[in-house]
Amino acid sequence: MTVLTGHRLGALIADRTGRPALAHEAEVVGQVLPFRVTSHVADELVDWTRAPDDPLYRLVMPHRGLLAPADFAAVERSLRDGDRDRLRLVVDGLRERLDPHPAGRDAAGLRHRYPETLLVLPGQGRTCHGPCASCSRWPRFAGDPVRGRELGGPEALGDRLDRHPEITDVLFAGVPFAGGSGADPPDPPDPFELRTARLAPYVTALLDRPGVRTVRIVTRAVSRFPGRFLDAPDADDLLRLLERVVASGRHLVLTLYVCHPRELRPATARRALGRLAATGAVLRTRGAVLRRVNDDAALWARMWREQTALGLAPYGMLVERGGGVRRCFRLPLARVLEVHAEALRRVPGLAGRVCGPVMPTELGVLAVDGPVRLADGPAFALRAVRTPDPALRGRVAYAPFDPAARWWDELVPYGPGDRSLIPGEPLTPAE
């Protein structure tokens, strides 16, 4: 697999589009945000004739919209002047301001937020096969020194499982995933970015603990680097490792993070799906609704139909939080609800099977149901799907309908009883 970064990526953009201006934009944005594009993505996914408006180009390539106009101009000016010291000051300042983890990144490789679920963040890797433009993990790829030492190795995993027999579900995740850590997604690599020899000790630690009944792995590898399961040097070893999990009687679920139908159309991706299905794993899909990438109900309906035909189980739709560089991808909650409802109307067989839209918040995983009409007007209904406090699970709270609200923390409680899930602003005595 060829991986393109930096100047090589800019040269690729200029060559494939015939537009040096786009390569220049990529160079400017790339000073702040790191990009890593595989040859598979460049050759099979991006429609270069439609760049920069092609949805996959916007998803995987550096483009002007990722920086505010004033920020783009500041970086561009420093590059043009050749002032490396000034450029470093500008870039460092932008990275600090755009950091999706302003409180710092927890170095712990194990997170036990929900009683029955342990999130495992293998720390040996530093990247994924192809970070998206909306990725929250770019500080790690950019060489952020705040990484901490590895605290989530196989030994630590085994020790945690021994001390917490209530854990029955272990989740390996390296992409935004409702059901993982809550809040902003953590910044580990894609689990399948690790070599099989690195991943195997984690699996062995699980198989040695009979209390673990479900193993879940979230990955983008099928759409970004299908060769990981086909012709990589340890591809067969990886598949045999997955077969070991299934043969042990565990429920193995591979959640494929997919945001556009084109991601699973290449022949190599479909061959990879076939090999993964042959291990006995359950293959699910989910993805976020992203502005100017997939904010279209017909596209989601088409994507779900194609995934179902491939034997995959569409499982959920995520709300894009939109912090930092992700601001150019976020949409109002009302629009996301419209996309979800209309897509399900077009594929009625998935009603009740596709969860969403959901938001991984500081409180837990909340599903947005509605809007609903209450006595004092329309409202969003938020349902607790997963929370650290089991008593809150399944609880429903309401927030006045706000057509501009884009995230949970922009909502206010409909009434005092709704504060359990919607902190919002304090209610006045009159309210």
Side-chain angles (χ1 to χ4, degrees):
M1 174 185 68
T2 301
V3 176
L4 301 167
T5 60
H7 294 299
R8 293 180 66 200
L9 182 55
L12 172 77
I13 292 173
D15 179 64
R16 296 290 178 94
T17 66
R19 299 173 62 180
L22 293 182
H24 171 69
E25 292 181 9
E27 181 182 7
V28 173
V29 174
Q31 299 296 317
V32 181
L33 307 172
F35 279 80
R36 184 174 187 260
V37 176
T38 64
S39 53
H40 171 81
V41 170
D43 296 339
E44 301 288 346
L45 299 188
V46 175
D47 183 348
W48 296 99
T49 65
R50 297 175 59 193
D53 297 321
D54 174 57
L56 269 297
Y57 185 96
R58 288 184 58 80
L59 186 64
V60 301
M61 296 291 175
H63 54 85
R64 180 186 287 265
L66 294 171
L67 297 180
D71 296 336
F72 184 93
V75 177
E76 185 179 43
R77 184 166 53 253
S78 298
L79 272 175
R80 184 178 61 245
D81 295 344
D83 188 340
R84 290 187 171 274
D85 292 335
R86 174 63 181 168
L87 177 62
R88 177 50 51 197
L89 286 174
V90 171
V91 168
D92 287 348
L94 285 178
R95 286 179 175 174
E96 182 176 359
R97 177 153 51 84
L98 296 174
D99 190 343
H101 308 275
R105 280 156 297 285
D106 184 356
L110 303 172
R111 302 192 185 172
H112 188 191
R113 192 172 187 218
Y114 306 114
E116 75 286 356
T117 302
L118 180 66
L119 177 66
V120 182
L121 313 176
Q124 294 96 333
R126 292 301 181 195
T127 64
C128 83
H129 297 101
C132 293
S134 60
C135 181
S136 69
R137 295 166 291 147
W138 60 264
R140 163 167 289 215
F141 308 153
D144 176 20
V146 186
R147 288 176 175 169
R149 59 189 179 86
E150 172 56 37
L151 299 178
E155 298 81 7
L157 170 59
D159 180 65
R160 182 68 64 92
L161 294 174
D162 289 339
R163 290 187 287 110
H164 293 276
E166 72 275 16
I167 296 174
T168 60
D169 185 353
V170 174
L171 168 65
F172 293 87
V175 298
F177 180 69
S181 64
D184 262 310
D187 57 357
D190 187 304
F192 287 140
E193 175 81 7
L194 299 179
R195 298 192 305 273
T196 305
R198 292 275 197 175
L199 189 58
Y202 290 93
V203 172
T204 300
L206 298 177
L207 299 185
D208 288 343
R209 274 77 183 179
V212 176
R213 304 308 308 159
T214 301
V215 179
R216 293 184 287 154
I217 302 176
V218 188
T219 182
R220 272 197 179 95
V222 173
S223 60
R224 297 296 193 270
F225 177 35
R228 178 69 183 92
F229 312 103
L230 300 174
D231 52 14
D234 60 345
D236 291 343
D237 294 336
L238 176 58
L239 295 170
R240 282 192 290 267
L241 183 65
L242 300 179
E243 290 172 349
R244 282 181 58 200
V245 178
V246 176
S248 73
R250 269 81 173 180
H251 186 54
L252 175 61
V253 179
L254 304 183
T255 300
L256 314 181
Y257 194 82
V258 182
C259 292
H260 196 277
R262 207 186 305 161
E263 293 185 84
L264 297 182
R265 285 179 182 164
T268 49
R270 300 201 169 192
R271 286 173 51 210
L273 289 174
R275 298 201 78 189
L276 288 171
T279 67
V282 175
L283 305 184
R284 292 177 174 174
T285 62
R286 70 191 314 166
V289 183
L290 305 172
R291 187 168 69 92
R292 295 182 63 189
V293 173
N294 61 9
D295 52 333
D296 176 72
L299 181 146
W300 277 88
R302 184 167 66 251
M303 180 164 63
W304 285 342
R305 290 193 198 100
E306 292 179 7
Q307 290 171 358
T308 301
L310 290 170
L312 310 177
Y315 182 63
M317 179 183 285
L318 301 173
V319 178
E320 178 60 61
R321 179 165 189 162
V325 299
R326 293 179 292 174
R327 59 181 171 71
C328 74
F329 293 100
R330 64 183 179 176
L331 292 159
L333 289 174
R335 176 57 184 155
V336 178
L337 277 168
E338 289 175 357
V339 171
H340 183 261
E342 176 60 18
L344 283 181
R345 189 188 68 79
R346 293 170 180 249
V347 192
L350 292 179
R353 293 163 53 189
V354 177
C355 182
V358 296
M359 297 184 288
T361 73
E362 288 83 350
L363 185 66
V365 181
L366 305 180
V368 186
D369 299 327
V372 298
R373 184 159 294 279
L374 302 179
D376 294 328
F380 290 114
L382 270 64
R383 177 170 43 87
V385 178
R386 305 192 74 183
T387 61
D389 181 2
L392 288 179
R393 294 184 189 180
R395 182 171 297 186
V396 176
Y398 300 96
F401 182 79
D402 180 352
R406 300 171 187 263
W407 192 251
W408 165 77
D409 58 9
E410 298 177 22
L411 301 175
V412 297
Y414 196 89
D418 299 312
R419 280 206 182 99
S420 59
L421 298 183
I422 309 168
E425 294 295 327
L427 298 176
T428 66
E431 292 171 327

